[in-house]
Amino acid sequence: MSTENRDIVLLDGGMGQELRKRSNQPVSPLWSAQVMLDEPDLVTAAHRDFIEAGARVITLNTYSATPLRLARDGEPSLFEPLHAAALGAAHRAREESGQDVRIAGCLPPLVASYHPDSVPDDATCLFDYRRMVELQADGVDLFLCETMSLAREARAATFAAVESQRPVWVSFTVDDGDGRRLRSGEWLAAAAREVVAAGAERVLVNCSVPEAITTAMVELAGLDVPFGGYANGFTSVAPLQPGGTVDSLESRTDLGPAAYAEHALGWIEQGATLVGGCCEVGPAHIAALAERLNAEGYRLTM
């Protein structure tokens, strides 16, 4: 495929796992939120490193700071302070980098990644996502509803984000063995059409193995919206249970920066215009991907 007039949005990588590598704190079910409390400078530094690697969109470090997770794993009163701290870290990183990048608000699964059976009722989903949007909207350029494993949770996140009048991108997580389906078993293409109808401007797939995302790109190519993907580097996410820690997961040994970039270039050949990384994909991976994109004549944009 010709690279002529091909603008590519390069996202950042997996913040939670990057922070675990940098932090001396014990692993916690709060994941990256615990680092936000104990070592906030690490969050700013990680954001900045992704920017310097070439990312043109960075995502708030609020993935585990949902009301339901804090009620289960920590202290509900931390909800507002965690969001304020995450916004501060992202803005400091952008200012320190001196580069023009966009900050994405983060609307993650409310209870647990990869477990559609843990999703609360629709009213709770919409109420909690609205609470998160309210805290983030004034400090972000767009909203990223990510790692959505169930269509109705994605719809609720999309509805809440659209109310902010910010651009809304929605990213699903798919079955590692069948990229045509969400982890709920629902068809990806059908779920994608639902969020586009609800107001999503772009649709992605994330936190699945690269091979599944390659399959998913075929499904998203039939939509009339920009699409893309950002994979994780785990062998399997099956061992991770709600309230558990990432210590239960094993990293692949065949997804170094060069190998990961090869997968992402393949998605672009399938028509993707947004690529980045999820868990286990760090600044070195994003730098290698940026280098490949530049070398092959693509333009990195926001």
Side-chain angles (χ1 to χ4, degrees):
M1 181 180 294
S2 171
T3 62
E4 184 178 358
N5 298 323
R6 291 298 304 282
D7 291 339
I8 301 298
V9 178
L10 183 56
L11 312 176
D12 59 6
M15 177 63 81
Q17 291 300 93
E18 186 64 23
L19 291 174
R20 289 311 319 151
K21 294 172 183 175
R22 299 179 184 216
S23 174
N24 293 319
Q25 299 294 327
V27 70
S28 156
L30 284 178
W31 285 29
S32 50
Q34 192 66 47
V35 182
M36 191 83 263
L37 295 172
D38 300 333
E39 301 168 288
D41 290 346
L42 291 185
V43 180
T44 299
H47 279 313
R48 191 174 59 245
D49 287 350
F50 278 121
I51 295 170
E52 292 174 354
R56 290 296 169 262
V57 177
I58 59 172
T59 302
L60 286 188
N61 180 43
T62 54
Y63 190 88
S64 57
T66 72
L68 290 170
R69 284 193 182 209
L70 292 174
R72 179 191 65 199
D73 300 326
E75 172 53 61
S77 65
L78 294 176
F79 179 60
E80 292 188 13
L82 282 172
H83 278 75
L87 283 162
H91 280 268
R92 281 193 301 275
R94 179 164 66 180
E95 291 164 6
E96 291 172 4
S97 74
Q99 299 191 44
D100 193 14
V101 300
R102 287 206 280 180
I103 295 173
C106 176
L107 299 183
L110 292 171
V111 176
S113 301
Y114 324 126
H115 288 276
D117 56 335
S118 72
V119 176
D121 63 85
D122 290 354
T124 300
C125 287
L126 186 58
F127 180 78
D128 280 3
Y129 282 130
R130 281 174 168 162
R131 291 183 66 194
M132 297 184 76
V133 167
E134 182 180 13
L135 292 184
Q136 297 178 24
D138 288 343
V140 303
D141 302 297
L142 62 102
F143 274 100
L144 176 59
C145 313
E146 61 178 343
T147 325
M148 299 283 104
S149 63
L150 184 67
R152 66 178 182 83
E153 184 173 41
R155 284 198 308 271
T158 304
F159 285 140
V162 166
E163 291 172 349
S164 73
Q165 299 186 351
R166 298 287 190 275
V168 178
W169 303 354
V170 178
S171 189
F172 295 96
T173 180
V174 294
D175 188 303
D176 285 330
D178 183 359
R180 301 172 301 164
R181 294 181 180 273
L182 306 187
R183 295 190 187 273
S184 63
E186 298 166 294
W187 291 106
L188 168 63
R193 286 192 294 270
E194 288 187 27
V195 296
V196 170
E201 296 182 5
R202 306 183 184 192
V203 180
L204 304 93
V205 173
N206 79 294
C207 218
S208 307
V209 296
E211 294 82 1
I213 289 183
T214 297
T215 300
M217 293 300 95
V218 178
E219 303 300 302
L220 298 185
L223 303 174
D224 291 327
V225 297
F227 65 93
Y230 51 113
N232 68 31
F234 294 131
T235 57
S236 170
V237 297
L240 184 63
Q241 297 300 311
T245 70
V246 291
D247 280 359
S248 63
L249 302 184
E250 181 181 348
S251 301
R252 284 173 58 162
T253 59
D254 60 344
L255 280 180
Y260 187 83
E262 196 67 32
H263 282 287
L265 264 292
W267 306 333
I268 291 171
E269 286 296 314
Q270 293 174 278
T273 56
L274 303 95
V275 293
C278 208
C279 306
E280 292 294 310
V281 178
H285 294 79
I286 299 303
L289 181 49
E291 183 177 356
R292 281 289 304 277
L293 291 170
N294 285 320
E296 299 199 16
Y298 293 99
R299 290 192 302 257
L300 301 186
T301 182
M302 297 188 295

